[in-house]
Amino acid sequence: MDDWIDYYDSTHTIYVSKLHRDVHFRVIANDILAYVPSPDAVVLDYSCGEALFAAQVAAACQKLILAEPAPGVRGRLTARFGPNPKIAVRSLDDLQQLPDRSVDLAVMISVAQYMTPAELDTAFALMRRVLKPGGRLVLGDILRPEVGAATDVMALLRLAAKNGFLTDALWGLARTALSDYWQLRKSIGLQRYAEADMLAKLKAAGFQASRAKTNIGYNPARMTFVATPRA
């Protein structure tokens, strides 16, 4: 995961424009909101990225923990949300200090593809420890083995056409094809999971899980899973 952390901590071109970045994070925030169980909930967003609309999520819960491994991104989160008493910005290492059974909802959105299976198991163990009985882990945007990059491109173009940045998307795709992102994607690859394999992985980590009807984010070809700790 370290190479991907370094990439996202750099001046990258994964978003084709500022509007694309804003729409991306707004869609994710709105989807997360649907899972917040109550205004008293403690929510953990694991590897949250820029989380531009985290204030909207925080407004719907008691506390929002934004955990981000990239130090540059984490610094921007602190600058952006530091004045908000409902938001705490933490590193992934900081999460080891969270008390057992202290979180109502944990979300990992578009993260698993950048982690080795062992790294994902470690993250699941953390979630299993900090989630309250009846709490939920929402694991979103999981890549399927049979779905390739062309499907991701089409999902982006549909989002761009709907939100008014189609021209930027076309130029951005051309730039990205020559960027460090594709070099990393070719050299390191992205982790992909069949539905049955992810369900088995969650079960082995101590969760009871099912696939959600719709994926978090704008790519319906990817999967979201909802899991609760087994007693």
Side-chain angles (χ1 to χ4, degrees), residues 9 50 68 70-82 89:
D9 215 23
E50 297 285 351
E68 171 54 41
V73 177
R74 198 163 60 245
R76 291 193 291 276
L77 290 169
T78 299
R80 188 179 300 129
F81 299 117
V89 178

PDB file of all heavy atoms in Angstrom, residues 9 50 68 70-82 89:
ATOM      1  N   ASP A   9      -0.305  11.064  -2.183  1.00  0.00           N
ATOM      2  CA  ASP A   9       0.255  12.197  -1.449  1.00  0.00           C
ATOM      3  C   ASP A   9       1.018  13.148  -2.371  1.00  0.00           C
ATOM      4  O   ASP A   9       1.521  14.174  -1.920  1.00  0.00           O
ATOM      5  CB  ASP A   9       1.187  11.703  -0.336  1.00  0.00           C
ATOM      6  CG  ASP A   9       1.135  12.575   0.897  1.00  0.00           C
ATOM      7  OD1 ASP A   9       0.114  13.266   1.090  1.00  0.00           O
ATOM      8  OD2 ASP A   9       2.103  12.569   1.675  1.00  0.00           O
ATOM      9  N   GLU A  50      -9.281  12.955   0.571  1.00  0.00           N
ATOM     10  CA  GLU A  50      -9.522  14.376   0.824  1.00  0.00           C
ATOM     11  C   GLU A  50     -10.842  14.633   1.552  1.00  0.00           C
ATOM     12  O   GLU A  50     -10.987  15.668   2.201  1.00  0.00           O
ATOM     13  CB  GLU A  50      -9.514  15.156  -0.498  1.00  0.00           C
ATOM     14  CG  GLU A  50      -8.181  15.127  -1.235  1.00  0.00           C
ATOM     15  CD  GLU A  50      -7.123  16.016  -0.592  1.00  0.00           C
ATOM     16  OE1 GLU A  50      -7.457  16.783   0.331  1.00  0.00           O
ATOM     17  OE2 GLU A  50      -5.963  15.933  -1.010  1.00  0.00           O
ATOM     18  N   GLU A  68      -6.358   8.817   7.785  1.00  0.00           N
ATOM     19  CA  GLU A  68      -5.715   8.949   6.484  1.00  0.00           C
ATOM     20  C   GLU A  68      -4.214   8.658   6.600  1.00  0.00           C
ATOM     21  O   GLU A  68      -3.528   9.247   7.433  1.00  0.00           O
ATOM     22  CB  GLU A  68      -5.939  10.366   5.940  1.00  0.00           C
ATOM     23  CG  GLU A  68      -5.157  10.722   4.704  1.00  0.00           C
ATOM     24  CD  GLU A  68      -5.347   9.744   3.556  1.00  0.00           C
ATOM     25  OE1 GLU A  68      -6.494   9.301   3.330  1.00  0.00           O
ATOM     26  OE2 GLU A  68      -4.348   9.417   2.887  1.00  0.00           O
ATOM     27  N   ALA A  70      -1.752   9.124   4.248  1.00  0.00           N
ATOM     28  CA  ALA A  70      -0.849  10.029   3.534  1.00  0.00           C
ATOM     29  C   ALA A  70      -0.653  11.315   4.338  1.00  0.00           C
ATOM     30  O   ALA A  70      -1.626  12.040   4.587  1.00  0.00           O
ATOM     31  CB  ALA A  70      -1.405  10.348   2.151  1.00  0.00           C
ATOM     32  N   PRO A  71       0.569  11.624   4.749  1.00  0.00           N
ATOM     33  CA  PRO A  71       0.761  12.780   5.638  1.00  0.00           C
ATOM     34  C   PRO A  71       0.370  14.110   5.019  1.00  0.00           C
ATOM     35  O   PRO A  71      -0.164  14.983   5.714  1.00  0.00           O
ATOM     36  CB  PRO A  71       2.256  12.734   5.980  1.00  0.00           C
ATOM     37  CG  PRO A  71       2.870  11.802   4.992  1.00  0.00           C
ATOM     38  CD  PRO A  71       1.813  10.867   4.542  1.00  0.00           C
ATOM     39  N   GLY A  72       0.611  14.299   3.724  1.00  0.00           N
ATOM     40  CA  GLY A  72       0.214  15.554   3.091  1.00  0.00           C
ATOM     41  C   GLY A  72      -1.292  15.726   3.060  1.00  0.00           C
ATOM     42  O   GLY A  72      -1.815  16.801   3.358  1.00  0.00           O
ATOM     43  N   VAL A  73      -1.996  14.660   2.694  1.00  0.00           N
ATOM     44  CA  VAL A  73      -3.455  14.702   2.689  1.00  0.00           C
ATOM     45  C   VAL A  73      -3.973  14.925   4.103  1.00  0.00           C
ATOM     46  O   VAL A  73      -4.902  15.714   4.338  1.00  0.00           O
ATOM     47  CB  VAL A  73      -4.041  13.396   2.105  1.00  0.00           C
ATOM     48  CG1 VAL A  73      -5.563  13.413   2.170  1.00  0.00           C
ATOM     49  CG2 VAL A  73      -3.577  13.202   0.669  1.00  0.00           C
ATOM     50  N   ARG A  74      -3.354  14.260   5.068  1.00  0.00           N
ATOM     51  CA  ARG A  74      -3.773  14.410   6.462  1.00  0.00           C
ATOM     52  C   ARG A  74      -3.601  15.858   6.942  1.00  0.00           C
ATOM     53  O   ARG A  74      -4.432  16.383   7.678  1.00  0.00           O
ATOM     54  CB  ARG A  74      -2.976  13.453   7.349  1.00  0.00           C
ATOM     55  CG  ARG A  74      -3.591  13.206   8.694  1.00  0.00           C
ATOM     56  CD  ARG A  74      -3.013  11.968   9.353  1.00  0.00           C
ATOM     57  NE  ARG A  74      -1.578  12.037   9.571  1.00  0.00           N
ATOM     58  CZ  ARG A  74      -0.684  11.246   8.982  1.00  0.00           C
ATOM     59  NH1 ARG A  74      -1.080  10.309   8.112  1.00  0.00           N
ATOM     60  NH2 ARG A  74       0.597  11.358   9.230  1.00  0.00           N
ATOM     61  N   GLY A  75      -2.536  16.500   6.499  1.00  0.00           N
ATOM     62  CA  GLY A  75      -2.334  17.896   6.850  1.00  0.00           C
ATOM     63  C   GLY A  75      -3.429  18.788   6.284  1.00  0.00           C
ATOM     64  O   GLY A  75      -3.907  19.716   6.963  1.00  0.00           O
ATOM     65  N   ARG A  76      -3.846  18.507   5.048  1.00  0.00           N
ATOM     66  CA  ARG A  76      -4.929  19.303   4.459  1.00  0.00           C
ATOM     67  C   ARG A  76      -6.248  19.052   5.178  1.00  0.00           C
ATOM     68  O   ARG A  76      -7.052  19.972   5.366  1.00  0.00           O
ATOM     69  CB  ARG A  76      -5.056  18.994   2.966  1.00  0.00           C
ATOM     70  CG  ARG A  76      -3.878  19.499   2.141  1.00  0.00           C
ATOM     71  CD  ARG A  76      -4.155  19.470   0.657  1.00  0.00           C
ATOM     72  NE  ARG A  76      -4.236  18.134   0.110  1.00  0.00           N
ATOM     73  CZ  ARG A  76      -3.179  17.413  -0.278  1.00  0.00           C
ATOM     74  NH1 ARG A  76      -1.945  17.897  -0.136  1.00  0.00           N
ATOM     75  NH2 ARG A  76      -3.337  16.215  -0.805  1.00  0.00           N
ATOM     76  N   LEU A  77      -6.481  17.811   5.583  1.00  0.00           N
ATOM     77  CA  LEU A  77      -7.694  17.508   6.346  1.00  0.00           C
ATOM     78  C   LEU A  77      -7.716  18.276   7.669  1.00  0.00           C
ATOM     79  O   LEU A  77      -8.745  18.822   8.070  1.00  0.00           O
ATOM     80  CB  LEU A  77      -7.780  16.005   6.624  1.00  0.00           C
ATOM     81  CG  LEU A  77      -8.053  15.088   5.432  1.00  0.00           C
ATOM     82  CD1 LEU A  77      -7.830  13.630   5.827  1.00  0.00           C
ATOM     83  CD2 LEU A  77      -9.468  15.277   4.908  1.00  0.00           C
ATOM     84  N   THR A  78      -6.572  18.318   8.323  1.00  0.00           N
ATOM     85  CA  THR A  78      -6.482  19.033   9.596  1.00  0.00           C
ATOM     86  C   THR A  78      -6.746  20.518   9.393  1.00  0.00           C
ATOM     87  O   THR A  78      -7.469  21.153  10.182  1.00  0.00           O
ATOM     88  CB  THR A  78      -5.101  18.818  10.228  1.00  0.00           C
ATOM     89  OG1 THR A  78      -4.902  17.416  10.471  1.00  0.00           O
ATOM     90  CG2 THR A  78      -4.966  19.573  11.541  1.00  0.00           C
ATOM     91  N   ALA A  79      -6.178  21.084   8.328  1.00  0.00           N
ATOM     92  CA  ALA A  79      -6.404  22.508   8.051  1.00  0.00           C
ATOM     93  C   ALA A  79      -7.861  22.772   7.703  1.00  0.00           C
ATOM     94  O   ALA A  79      -8.435  23.798   8.100  1.00  0.00           O
ATOM     95  CB  ALA A  79      -5.484  22.957   6.915  1.00  0.00           C
ATOM     96  N   ARG A  80      -8.468  21.851   6.970  1.00  0.00           N
ATOM     97  CA  ARG A  80      -9.846  22.054   6.496  1.00  0.00           C
ATOM     98  C   ARG A  80     -10.860  21.866   7.616  1.00  0.00           C
ATOM     99  O   ARG A  80     -11.828  22.619   7.729  1.00  0.00           O
ATOM    100  CB  ARG A  80     -10.125  21.076   5.345  1.00  0.00           C
ATOM    101  CG  ARG A  80     -11.455  21.291   4.619  1.00  0.00           C
ATOM    102  CD  ARG A  80     -11.589  20.286   3.487  1.00  0.00           C
ATOM    103  NE  ARG A  80     -10.520  20.406   2.513  1.00  0.00           N
ATOM    104  CZ  ARG A  80      -9.764  19.391   2.080  1.00  0.00           C
ATOM    105  NH1 ARG A  80      -9.975  18.169   2.527  1.00  0.00           N
ATOM    106  NH2 ARG A  80      -8.817  19.597   1.203  1.00  0.00           N
ATOM    107  N   PHE A  81     -10.640  20.846   8.456  1.00  0.00           N
ATOM    108  CA  PHE A  81     -11.669  20.475   9.420  1.00  0.00           C
ATOM    109  C   PHE A  81     -11.250  20.690  10.874  1.00  0.00           C
ATOM    110  O   PHE A  81     -12.021  20.371  11.786  1.00  0.00           O
ATOM    111  CB  PHE A  81     -12.075  19.013   9.221  1.00  0.00           C
ATOM    112  CG  PHE A  81     -12.654  18.729   7.867  1.00  0.00           C
ATOM    113  CD1 PHE A  81     -12.031  17.853   6.988  1.00  0.00           C
ATOM    114  CD2 PHE A  81     -13.817  19.351   7.450  1.00  0.00           C
ATOM    115  CE1 PHE A  81     -12.564  17.580   5.734  1.00  0.00           C
ATOM    116  CE2 PHE A  81     -14.362  19.095   6.194  1.00  0.00           C
ATOM    117  CZ  PHE A  81     -13.726  18.208   5.332  1.00  0.00           C
ATOM    118  N   GLY A  82     -10.067  21.223  11.099  1.00  0.00           N
ATOM    119  CA  GLY A  82      -9.599  21.446  12.466  1.00  0.00           C
ATOM    120  C   GLY A  82     -10.567  22.225  13.334  1.00  0.00           C
ATOM    121  O   GLY A  82     -10.757  21.881  14.520  1.00  0.00           O
ATOM    122  N   VAL A  89      -9.042  14.151  12.982  1.00  0.00           N
ATOM    123  CA  VAL A  89      -8.178  13.648  11.917  1.00  0.00           C
ATOM    124  C   VAL A  89      -7.073  12.814  12.563  1.00  0.00           C
ATOM    125  O   VAL A  89      -6.389  13.279  13.479  1.00  0.00           O
ATOM    126  CB  VAL A  89      -7.574  14.804  11.093  1.00  0.00           C
ATOM    127  CG1 VAL A  89      -6.637  14.253  10.015  1.00  0.00           C
ATOM    128  CG2 VAL A  89      -8.686  15.645  10.464  1.00  0.00           C
TER     129      VAL A  89
END
